[in-house]
Amino acid sequence: MKIAVAGKGGVGKTTTSGTIARTLARAGHPVLALDADSNPMLGISLGVGPEETDALLAARQALDEGEAEHEPTAEGLVETFGTDAPDGVRLVVVSRIDRPDPG
Amino acid sequence: MSRSPLRIAVVGKGGAGKSVIAGTIARLLARRGHRVLALDSDLMPGLAFSLGASAPSEPPLNDAAERDEDGRWRLRKGIGAFRAVTRYSTEAPDGVRLLEVGKVSGSEGRAPIMPAVQAFYRVIHRLRRAEPLREWTVVGDLPAGPRQTAFDWAPYADTLLLVAEPTWKSALTARRIARIARARRDPPAVVVVANKVTAAADRSRVARMLGEPVAAAIPADEAAATADRLGLALIDHAPSSPAARAIERLVDQLLDSRLPVVSAA
């Protein structure tokens, strides 16, 4: 299944997403958790901790700032901009903030 | 009493309490004699509730922008920043004027309020210079997260009120916003406000997680939660609640410049 979670700031999107991802993983589903928020915090709710959550964003930003090569494949993106969260969930940050698209 | 205008933008993570704090500060400053313009740059419902104002039903600024010959947006001919504010803002209690970027209802299709967004962005970039707006106090409520700060949606702000709950999500968000704000050419003073504080240790916890001193702490307050649930302004619903009192002290600090401001790095 493919689920997107949306809503106003502070209502609990990230907490809901993280809990759903972990629950599905425990039920035996292979789970890819995508953080597409311009302020990516899903790592916190998945349980990877604040340092790792911030480190993922830094990896994503290094790309925007031209310090890293882009990954041409989906598998490469999952590898480079992702980390392993508990219960076998793979977390990937697919957003950026410091250099948002111009205009 | 000093009436020098304050220009404040309130930023932070979703749910941190930005609108409640912005709305209450705007009302309190108006009561202290300031001419107050409250800005809501969120496309989703927000500040009007916390100000105790009724929101305009249509995005009023949609009439204020036009395209030039080259297709670039500009304020419509004959409409300067001041006229835009007087014509398209709405009245809130205590004499506060509320200017909204406009709300997306979801039924209009794509980019329905682009003229309003364009007009709003141009107006806020003139608030520091345009007469007589430069004498007005401005309190801006930004949407959740760092995005608008990165896009220069608080160019008027001399002071950035960084609202953070004692949670990691809130603290990491605040850190990111502060980093982006300090990259501005003339960076604003950053004032950290710890909100929904339950224990004495929460205040120092926020300071530790952010790596910045906390200027003011606002207690977790059932009255504030109830006001939000009812869609009422805190200052109307529970003016003597602990949260309202704490925001009042913050306003006094802002007026007296007694805040431990984190200078631009």
Side-chain angles (χ1 to χ4, degrees):
Chain A
M1 64 189 92
K2 294 178 177 60
I3 304 170
V5 181
K8 188 161 160 48
V11 295
K13 293 182 294 297
T14 306
T15 306
T16 304
S17 309
T19 308
I20 288 175
R22 291 278 301 269
T23 305
L24 288 172
R26 286 184 183 183
H29 295 263
V31 178
L32 183 61
L34 295 178
D35 197 341
D37 199 317
S38 60
N39 182 40
M41 288 293 167
L42 185 54
I44 303 280
S45 291
L46 280 173
V48 305
E51 302 310 322
E52 182 69 20
T53 299
D54 234 17
L56 271 179
L57 178 68
R60 185 65 185 80
Q61 276 176 354
L63 177 69
D64 298 333
E65 283 154 25
E67 295 161 9
E69 292 294 310
H70 212 311
E71 291 290 344
T73 65
E75 291 75 16
L77 288 171
V78 169
E79 173 59 33
T80 306
F81 302 112
T83 192
D84 286 325
D87 297 326
V89 173
R90 182 71 184 177
L91 165 65
V92 182
V93 171
V94 292
S95 60
R96 56 180 168 180
I97 52 155
D98 276 356
R99 304 284 172 90
D101 301 310
Chain B
M1 192 203 298
S2 157
R3 294 277 199 286
S4 340
L6 299 179
R7 281 180 285 265
I8 302 167
V10 186
V11 294
K13 188 166 170 10
K18 293 178 296 300
S19 296
V20 173
I21 291 172
T24 309
I25 287 178
R27 295 275 303 271
L28 288 169
L29 285 171
R31 288 181 184 181
R32 281 163 167 69
H34 286 245
R35 194 85 191 84
V36 178
L37 175 63
L39 296 174
D40 184 355
S41 55
D42 197 336
L43 295 174
M44 296 290 142
L47 183 58
F49 291 107
S50 300
L51 266 178
S54 45
S57 50
E58 299 283 318
L61 279 170
N62 253 350
D63 291 334
E66 64 184 8
R67 288 178 188 271
D68 66 14
E69 311 76 57
D70 301 321
R72 283 184 301 250
W73 287 99
R74 66 180 177 201
L75 284 174
R76 193 150 56 80
K77 231 179 173 53
I79 298 187
F82 184 57
R83 185 163 294 174
V85 166
T86 44
R87 190 178 291 180
Y88 300 109
S89 67
T90 46
E91 175 90 36
D94 295 323
V96 173
R97 302 298 309 187
L98 167 64
L99 187 66
E100 288 190 344
V101 65
K103 305 299 173 190
V104 176
S105 80
S107 60
E108 310 95 329
R110 291 186 67 212
I113 63 163
M114 186 53 90
V117 172
Q118 296 285 345
F120 185 90
Y121 193 76
R122 277 156 184 77
V123 168
I124 61 176
H125 276 79
R126 296 180 191 179
L127 294 176
R128 288 163 85 134
R129 296 189 309 272
E131 293 283 1
L133 293 168
R134 51 185 298 185
E135 303 303 324
W136 287 33
T137 281
V138 179
V139 181
D141 182 26
L142 269 61
R147 196 172 179 82
Q148 275 204 353
T149 308
F151 276 120
D152 200 19
W153 277 73
Y156 50 84
D158 303 317
T159 302
L160 210 59
L161 278 193
L162 198 52
V163 182
E165 295 180 62
T167 68
W168 271 113
K169 282 180 201 163
S170 207
L172 288 183
T173 303
R175 268 200 227 164
R176 291 172 188 172
I177 296 173
R179 207 160 55 218
I180 292 169
R182 287 183 179 127
R184 206 173 85 178
R185 199 172 301 137
D186 56 340
V190 176
V191 170
V192 178
V193 178
N195 193 21
K196 306 189 193 177
V197 162
T198 49
D202 276 352
R203 182 182 178 134
S204 48
R205 199 172 132 72
V206 169
R208 207 165 48 248
M209 290 191 294
L210 254 76
E212 319 236 358
V214 170
I218 300 168
D221 187 338
E222 200 48 49
T226 305
D228 230 13
R229 250 171 245 143
L230 297 173
L232 298 172
L234 174 62
I235 194 172
D236 294 326
H237 176 71
S240 52
S241 61
R245 291 273 187 237
I247 298 173
E248 211 163 342
R249 285 195 295 276
L250 171 60
V251 165
D252 290 334
Q253 286 175 282
L254 287 164
L255 288 170
D256 294 355
S257 310
R258 282 191 279 109
L259 289 163
V261 163
V262 185
S263 62

